[in-house]
Amino acid sequence: MNYEILFGFILATSALALSPGPDNIYVLMQSITNGRKYGLATVCGLISGCLVHTTLVAFGVSAIIKENDTLFFIIKLLGALYLLYLAYKVYNGDSKVVLSNTGVPKKSLWQLFKQGVIMNVLNPKVSIFFLAFFPAYLYSDTVSTVIQFYVLGLLFMATSFIVFAIIAILAGFISDYLKQSKNIGLVLKWLQIVVFIGIAIFIFLSEK
């Protein structure tokens, strides 16, 4: 078992979770508008939805890995290209972090949890990202690939939960800092680009 690969996976996941995207911005606004526990309910829903995507990727990709080296190489290549495409989209996008209270209605904790699950499960980009991201971080030659994918999925969920929960708890401070700092948007933009390109290179160079 290669613990360095798992540690690298956790670092990459942390950087991705910190990058401003629709999920963590939504968590931030729920916490600012309705309170921390509402932000945390949203976090729990979003993270729970990852189980579905982990299952789809675990069984689908595991079968491919067992059956065909060429297909696995194609998945690895497409995964690297997809991450480079994400880096390109971020590069061409706006570096401003926009915070708005519009579209953040008052809901119960259970409603927010369910909405978080639905938002995640019905987003096909999550499965595509897992498909691109996970195969390069298989860490053992002896452990079942299905088990390894689930371990990676649970690590992804745990790491993202910690980061998102911190965002929910520190929502007021984070919001004030984002509004006051002129350069934070540009810094976060380039953080995303570096992370996406770094993971893409790692995926392409990884061995089965």
Side-chain angles (χ1 to χ4, degrees), residues 14 40 43 80 93 117 126 142 148-149 162 166-167 191-192:
S14 299
L40 290 171
V43 172
V117 173
V126 179
T142 56
Q148 290 186 70
F149 276 119
I162 292 170
I166 291 172
I167 290 173
L191 171 64
Q192 289 183 84

Side-chain angles (χ1 to χ4, degrees), residues 28-76:
L28 180 64
M29 296 316 302
Q30 281 292 351
S31 298
I32 293 171
T33 305
N34 299 318
R36 293 172 181 172
K37 65 180 180 180
Y38 292 90
L40 290 171
T42 305
V43 172
C44 290
L46 289 169
I47 299 303
S48 297
C50 290
L51 274 176
V52 175
H53 298 287
T54 299
T55 300
L56 292 173
V57 172
F59 286 96
V61 178
S62 294
I64 292 173
I65 290 173
K66 289 179 181 178
E67 297 297 328
N68 195 308
D69 289 344
T70 302
L71 281 177
F72 180 66
F73 173 78
I74 291 172
I75 284 181
K76 185 173 73 169

Side-chain angles (χ1 to χ4, degrees), residues 20 26 31 37 54 110 121 127 140 144 171 179-180 185 201:
Y26 186 69
S31 298
K37 65 180 180 180
T54 299
W110 175 242
V121 170
S127 281
S140 174
S144 163
K179 290 175 181 177
Q180 293 172 5
I201 293 171

Side-chain angles (χ1 to χ4, degrees), residues 125-151:
K125 292 182 180 180
V126 179
S127 281
I128 294 172
F129 181 77
F130 279 18
L131 182 64
F133 188 39
F134 283 14
Y137 289 91
L138 295 175
Y139 54 86
S140 174
D141 295 328
T142 56
V143 178
S144 163
T145 51
V146 171
I147 292 175
Q148 290 186 70
F149 276 119
Y150 270 108
V151 169

Side-chain angles (χ1 to χ4, degrees), residues 20-30 97-100 167 178:
D23 287 348
N24 50 19
I25 293 296
Y26 186 69
V27 168
L28 180 64
M29 296 316 302
Q30 281 292 351
V97 180
V98 179
L99 301 179
S100 173
I167 290 173
L178 291 177

